[in-house]
RNA sequence: UGGGGAAUAGUUCAACGGUAGAACAGCGGACUCUGACUCCGUUAAUCUAGGUUCGAAUCCUAGUUCCCCAGCCA
C-alpha cells in the first residue's frame, strides 16, 4: 500500500521511516508489519511510548499493521497484572492492534521444534556445565572462550537430553541447550548462546506445561518470522544481537525473513526510565504505586492529567536517531502545555487562600457573574461564578511591601478580580505574630464584569473564589522525582527529591469544579493544569497539578 | 589489547556533494481581563587533523571522545 503524502509530511522523517519507505518502493515488501514487544515484568513508561508511537505510527502511516506481542519467555519475572496494565496503557495512548495480540508463549511448541531441528542439524547441543563454568569458559571481552566439553555430543544424545529437559527430569540450572556457533567470536553473543534453560516455574499463560523456556534471543526473531514482521524495531543495546538474530533466521526453516533495526531509547532529565529502578521505587515505597503521579509510567502520567495526545506530540518532536541522548524535561512539559492550553476548560481555584472582606459590599448579598470557559474559544461557553462579601485570593497575589515589578495587590492598590470587579486594598489585618491573615478591601460597583466605564486601567488581574461559592479541596503539587538532571540509576535513592510532592490541604475551588464531570485536566487560571485524583471523595476533592503555567514572574522575582 | 555503535547551537532532531535549518531552553520586545496564550526579534553548532572535489556536516585516511556487550534477563 502506498504512503499518502500528507501522512508522510505529518509523520516527519527519520532513518527508520526512510528504510521502510525504501523497502516498500523497491518492492521488498508489499506492506509493512511491525510489532511492539513488551516483556510483562513492569508497567509501560514514556520510553516505551517512544517505541509504541514508532511501531504503531509507522504501521499507520504506511498502511500496514502493528502487532502487540508479549515477550513472555521468563515466567519468574512476569505477571498477569503487568499484561493487563500494558494492554490498557497502549490503548490509552491511542493505538489499536486489532486482532493482532500475540505472545511469544503462543509459539513455545514451534520454537521447541526448531530447537530440535538445530540439534539434528548439529547446530545445537545440551551443555551440562554449571552457570559458573559457562561463565568461566566464555572468555572475556578481549579473549576468546573455550569450547564446552559437552560440545561434541551426538545428535541422539542431545535429542534425548533435550527431551528429558522438556519432560522436567532435571532441576533448574542443571543443563541448557546452546547453539553451536563460535566460542572465539569477537561478538560474545555468538559464543554458543543459550537457547533454552530449565525453569520449573508457573507461566501466566502456559501454566506448568513447560519446564524449559526459550531465551530472548531464541524467541524474538523467530516470533517475528512467524508473524511475518517486516521491520523489527528495537533499542540500541540489541545491536550486537543482530548477527545472532540473523543466524537463527538463516539456519531455521522460518516462514519469513524479518530484519532488525535499532534506535536510541529515550532518556529524560530528572527522570529514570529503567524498569529496575521504577520497580524499586514501587517496591521500596518511595512512591505510592506504579500510577503515582510522579512516576514516568503511562499510568502515572495519566493519573497526573497528562493527555495521551501530549505524549504523542512529544514523541513526534524528539525524533528518532541512533545517538544516545537525554531530552530536556522542559520539552515534555511544553508538549503537555500545548495540548492542554488548547483543550482545557478554565476554572478558578485558590491554592493558598488569603481572606478578603469587601467592606462596601452588602453583608447579605451574593450575585453570579459570567466567566468564559475558554477565552480563546467562545464555543466553549460560559459558566456562572458566585461573588460575595467574603472572598479568597492567592497569598502570592498580595504583598505588603511590593518590589518595583510586582503588579498585583498591595496596600492602597487597585487590581481586577477576574470576571468580577476592581477592588482596592484598604487595610491589612495581622495576627499576634505579625502574619497577614486578612485584607479589608473596597470594590467599585461600576466595574461589574471586570471593565471600568471610565476606562481606567489596573496593572493586574487576579483570580479569586468567594467563600460561599467555593469548596475546600486538597491540591497536590509535584516536582521532579529526582534532584539531579541525570540521576544515578545505580543508587537512585540518593538522588530522590524530598520535595517531589507538596500537599496543600486547605485550597478552595470554584464550586463548578465540584459538579464538573470532566475526565481531563482543567486549567486553574494563572496557575496551571490540574486533574482530579481518584483519591477524591464526594466531600473532599483532590487535584493533581499536571504542569504549571509558564511563570515569568517567578523568574523576575528570583532575580530580584 | 576484542566486537558493535554514535559524534551538528545549552538540549533534541534536520540538512542524503551545492546558502548549516527547526523545535525546546535562554535573552529582548509587542499584545493581554491569565505575569498564560499568541506574535516579533535575538544569542547559539558541524569532535580533531589531513586528503579528494570548483564545492564536504556529508566521501576517504588517521586520531579523539562517549555509549553498549562477558545472564541459564529482556
Amino acid at each position: 500500500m502506498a504512503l499518502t503524502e500528507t501522512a508522510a509530511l505529518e509523520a516527519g522523517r527519520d532513518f527508520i521511516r526512510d528504510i521502510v519507505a525504501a523497502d516498500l518502493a523497491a518492492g521488498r515488501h508489499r506492506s509493512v508489519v511491525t510489532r511492539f514487544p513488551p516483556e510483562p515484568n513492569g508497567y509501560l513508561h514514556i520510553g516505551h511510548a517512544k517505541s509504541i508511537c514508532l511501531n504503531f505510527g509507522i504501521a499507520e502511516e504506511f498502511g500496514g499493521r502493528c502487532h502487540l506481542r508479549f515477550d513472555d519467555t521468563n515466567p519468574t519475572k512476569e505477571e498477569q497484572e503487568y499484561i493487563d496494565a500494558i494492554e490498557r496503557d497502549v490503548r490509552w495512548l491511542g493505538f489499536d492492534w486489532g486482532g493482532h495480540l500475540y505472545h511469544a508463549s503462543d509459539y513455545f511448541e514451534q520454537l521447541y521444534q526448531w530447537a530440535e531441528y538445530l540439534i539434528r542439524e548439529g547446530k545445537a547441543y545440551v551443555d551440562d556445565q554449571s552457570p559458573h563454568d559457562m561463565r568461566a569458559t566464555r572468555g572475556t571481552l578481549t579473549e576468546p572462550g573455550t569450547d564446552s566439553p559437552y560440545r561434541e555430543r551426538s545428535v541422539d544424545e542431545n535429542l534425548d537430553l533435550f527431551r528429558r529437559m522438556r519432560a522436567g527430569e532435571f532441576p533448574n540450572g542443571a543443563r541448557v541447550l546452546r547453539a553451536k556457533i563460535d566460542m572465539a567470536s569477537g561478538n560474545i553473543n555468538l559464543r554458543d548462546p543459550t537457547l533454552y534453560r530449565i525453569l520449573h516455574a508457573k507461566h501466566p499463560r502456559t501454566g506448568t506445561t513447560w519446564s524449559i523456556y526459550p531465551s530472548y534471543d531464541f524467541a524474538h526473531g523467530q516470533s517475528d518470522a512467524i508473524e511475518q514482521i517486516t521491520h523489527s524495531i528495537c533499542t540500541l543495546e540489541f545491536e550486537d544481537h543482530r548477527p545472532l538474530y540473523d543466524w537463527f533466521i538463516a539456519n531455521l526453516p522460518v516462514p519469513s525473513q524479518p530484519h532488525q533495526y535499532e534506535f536510541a531509547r529515550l532518556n529524560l532529565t530528572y527522570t529514570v526510565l529503567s524498569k529496575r529502578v521504577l520497580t524499586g521505587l514501587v517496591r521500596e515505597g518511595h512512591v505510592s504505586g506504579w500510577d503515582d503521579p510522579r512516576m514516568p509510567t503511562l499510568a502515572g502520567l495519566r493519573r497526573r492529567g497528562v493527555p495521551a495526545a501530549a505524549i504523542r506530540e512529544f514523541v513526534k518532536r524528539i525524533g528518532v536517531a541512533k545517538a544516545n541522548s537525554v531530552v530536556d524535561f522542559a520539552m515534555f512539559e511544553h508538549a503537555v502545555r500545548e495540548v492542554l492550553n488548547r483543550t482545557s476548560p478554565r476554572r478558578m481555584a485558590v491554592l493558598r487562600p488569603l481572606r478578603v472582606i469587601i467592606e462596601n459590599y452588602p453583608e447579605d448579598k451574593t450575585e453570579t457573574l459570567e466567566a468564559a470557559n475558554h477565552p480563546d474559544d467562545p464555543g466553549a461557553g460560559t459558566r456562572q461564578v458566585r461573588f460575595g462579601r467574603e472572598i479568597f485570593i492567592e497569598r502570592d497575589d498580595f504583598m505588603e511591601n511590593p518590589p518595583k515589578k510586582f503588579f498585583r495587590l498591595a496596600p492602597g492598590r487597585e487590581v481586577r478580580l477576574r470576571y468580577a470587579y476592581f477592588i482596592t486594598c484598604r487595610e491589612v489585618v495581622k495576627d499576634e505574630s505579625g502574619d497577614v491573615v486578612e485584607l479589608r478591601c473596597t470594590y467599585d460597583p461600576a466595574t461589574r464584569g471586570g471593565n471600568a466605564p471610565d476606562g481606567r486601567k489596573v496593572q493586574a488581574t487576579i483570580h479569586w473564589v468567594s467563600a460561599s461559592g467555593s469548596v475546600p479541596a486538597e491540591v497536590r503539587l509535584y516536582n521532579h522525582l529526582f534532584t539531579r538532571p541525570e540521576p544515578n540509576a545505580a543508587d537512585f535513592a540518593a538522588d530522590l527529591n524530598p520535595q517531589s510532592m507538596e500537599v496543600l490541604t486547605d485550597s478552595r475551588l470554584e464550586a463548578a469544579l465540584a459538579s464538573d464531570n470532566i475526565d481531563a485536566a482543567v486549567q486553574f487560571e494563572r496557575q496551571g493544569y490540574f486533574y482530579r485524583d481518584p483519591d477524591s471523595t464526594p466531600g473532599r476533592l483532590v487535584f493533581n497539578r499536571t504542569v504549571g503555567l509558564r511563570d515569568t514572574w517567578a523568574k523576575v522575582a528570583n532575580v530580584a
Side-chain angles (χ1 to χ4, degrees):
Chain A
M1 239 172 274
L3 160 77
T4 69
E5 279 181 35
T6 47
L9 279 172
E10 265 179 54
R13 270 271 98 92
D14 55 66
F15 76 99
I16 294 180
R17 277 179 246 249
D18 287 347
I19 289 167
V20 171
D23 286 348
L24 254 19
R28 278 186 286 272
H29 304 289
R30 206 180 297 141
S31 74
V32 61
V33 186
T34 57
R35 102 270 91 112
F36 173 62
E39 184 193 11
N41 67 344
Y43 276 56
L44 260 24
H45 54 65
I46 190 163
H48 294 110
K50 180 178 181 183
S51 173
I52 294 167
C53 291
L54 223 207
N55 279 293
F56 280 93
I58 285 176
E60 240 165 53
E61 292 151 27
F62 291 90
R65 66 174 195 266
C66 180
H67 300 178
L68 175 61
R69 180 170 76 234
F70 288 99
D71 227 326
D72 54 352
T73 56
N74 186 353
T76 64
K77 292 190 174 171
E78 296 152 8
E79 294 173 24
Q80 188 62 39
E81 179 200 347
Y82 298 135
I83 294 179
D84 298 339
I86 287 167
E87 291 189 32
R88 189 193 318 133
D89 289 345
V90 174
R91 251 189 228 105
W92 174 76
L93 233 205
F95 297 100
D96 181 9
W97 51 89
H100 299 283
L101 174 64
Y102 304 107
H103 305 79
S105 55
D106 297 340
Y107 315 131
F108 279 176
E109 183 59 36
Q110 174 68 79
L111 291 168
Y112 175 85
Q113 294 303 329
W114 279 335
E116 284 206 355
Y117 176 91
L118 282 183
I119 292 172
R120 282 192 295 271
E121 294 283 304
K123 292 173 182 168
Y125 63 98
V126 172
D127 194 341
D128 298 357
Q129 288 185 110
S130 66
H132 174 269
D133 289 341
M134 272 184 63
R135 198 177 317 127
T137 54
R138 187 154 27 230
T140 69
L141 293 178
T142 54
E143 304 158 65
T146 50
D147 288 0
S148 165
Y150 304 95
R151 202 172 195 258
E152 300 305 330
R153 287 219 251 232
S154 71
V155 167
D156 287 345
E157 189 184 3
N158 279 320
L159 235 29
D160 173 62
L161 253 13
F162 187 49
R163 287 170 181 167
R164 289 165 63 196
M165 281 168 63
R166 173 176 184 166
E169 288 186 30
F170 311 117
N172 288 355
R175 296 174 222 266
V176 293
L177 182 73
R178 289 230 254 175
K180 193 190 287 188
I181 306 180
D182 178 9
M183 287 305 293
S185 173
N187 183 341
I188 291 177
N189 295 302
L190 264 18
R191 318 241 263 231
D192 290 10
T194 297
L195 271 32
Y196 272 89
R197 71 278 211 199
I198 299 169
L199 243 35
H200 294 277
K202 187 165 188 283
H203 187 282
R205 290 182 55 83
T206 60
T208 52
T209 308
W210 294 89
S211 22
I212 55 172
Y213 291 92
S215 63
Y216 162 84
D217 286 307
F218 193 65
H220 202 97
Q222 288 87 297
S223 299
D224 286 340
I226 291 168
E227 294 178 22
Q228 310 277 326
I229 300 298
T230 56
H231 301 262
S232 182
I233 302 165
C234 63
T235 45
L236 253 29
E237 67 270 26
F238 293 102
E239 207 151 17
D240 47 19
H241 288 241
R242 195 171 60 225
L244 181 54
Y245 183 104
D246 293 340
W247 190 88
F248 289 127
I249 297 300
N251 285 280
L252 253 13
V254 292
S256 75
Q257 275 67 48
H259 289 275
Q260 176 184 297
Y261 303 92
E262 310 85 13
F263 70 96
R265 64 182 334 130
L266 172 68
N267 294 292
L268 257 188
T269 56
Y270 299 100
T271 309
V272 177
L273 299 180
S274 131
K275 266 194 210 169
R276 200 199 99 248
V277 171
L278 297 182
T279 306
L281 288 169
V282 173
R283 297 227 168 111
E284 293 167 28
H286 296 111
V287 296
S288 65
W290 286 99
D291 69 342
D292 186 299
R294 293 167 293 181
M295 291 282 274
T297 50
L298 297 184
L301 295 170
R302 176 170 60 230
R303 181 168 173 184
R304 183 151 166 171
V306 173
I311 295 174
R312 282 185 251 118
E313 175 63 25
F314 168 69
V315 167
K316 192 195 289 185
R317 281 167 185 253
I318 58 173
V320 180
K322 289 193 74 159
N324 291 116
S325 61
V326 184
V327 177
D328 190 339
F329 195 83
M331 190 94 87
F332 176 66
E333 292 189 321
H334 175 83
V336 175
R337 289 194 189 103
E338 184 181 271
V339 171
L340 256 19
N341 175 52
R342 218 167 48 224
T343 57
S344 299
R346 313 284 124 130
R347 294 289 183 266
M348 291 197 284
V350 174
L351 270 28
R352 299 174 179 86
L354 173 61
R355 182 188 313 277
V356 173
I357 303 296
I358 315 289
E359 294 183 309
N360 59 338
Y361 196 90
E363 297 260 3
D364 50 354
K365 181 180 173 184
T366 63
E367 64 185 309
T368 57
L369 299 160
E370 189 171 53
N373 286 330
H374 193 124
D376 304 328
D377 175 16
T382 61
R383 67 194 189 276
Q384 301 298 314
V385 291
R386 185 189 293 167
F387 188 76
R389 176 179 162 89
E390 181 183 355
I391 66 170
F392 296 102
I393 66 167
E394 207 68 55
R395 292 203 87 95
D396 287 352
D397 285 340
F398 171 79
M399 280 186 95
E400 192 173 11
N401 301 298
K404 193 119 200 279
K405 295 253 181 90
F406 186 82
F407 302 147
R408 286 111 91 154
L409 198 60
R413 190 184 287 179
E414 184 173 55
V415 300
R416 174 190 293 111
L417 294 178
R418 187 148 166 87
Y419 298 122
Y421 294 100
F422 286 12
I423 60 167
T424 304
C425 177
R426 302 296 176 186
E427 190 186 338
V428 178
V429 181
K430 297 180 184 174
D431 62 13
E432 318 78 60
S433 50
D435 292 328
V436 176
V437 293
E438 185 180 296
L439 265 24
R440 312 291 293 193
C441 296
T442 55
Y443 84 119
D444 177 356
T447 58
R448 189 174 199 275
N451 291 301
D454 62 4
R456 75 181 186 277
K457 300 282 186 206
V458 287
Q459 274 198 109
T461 299
I462 64 174
H463 62 276
W464 57 278
V465 296
S466 65
S468 69
S470 63
V471 296
E474 174 176 322
V475 174
R476 299 172 182 169
L477 307 179
Y478 302 102
N479 298 303
H480 295 308
L481 227 202
F482 295 94
T483 52
R484 300 198 310 162
E486 296 186 39
N488 177 8
D491 183 19
F492 63 87
D495 289 336
L496 278 170
N497 178 8
Q499 268 103 254
S500 58
M501 176 164 75
E502 186 179 357
V503 179
L504 305 177
T505 53
D506 52 10
S507 303
R508 298 201 65 96
L509 314 179
E510 175 183 334
L513 281 161
S515 49
D516 282 339
N517 218 346
I518 311 166
D519 185 27
V522 166
Q523 185 189 105
F524 289 180
E525 291 211 58
R526 301 210 307 129
Q527 305 195 102
Y529 301 94
F530 293 78
Y531 183 60
R532 186 194 290 225
D533 191 87
D535 286 351
S536 295
T537 60
R540 182 169 187 76
L541 294 174
V542 178
F543 274 82
N544 297 315
R545 182 173 66 192
T546 311
V547 63
L549 255 28
R550 275 189 64 202
D551 188 354
T552 47
W553 160 245
K555 280 183 209 161
V556 174
N558 272 332
V559 171

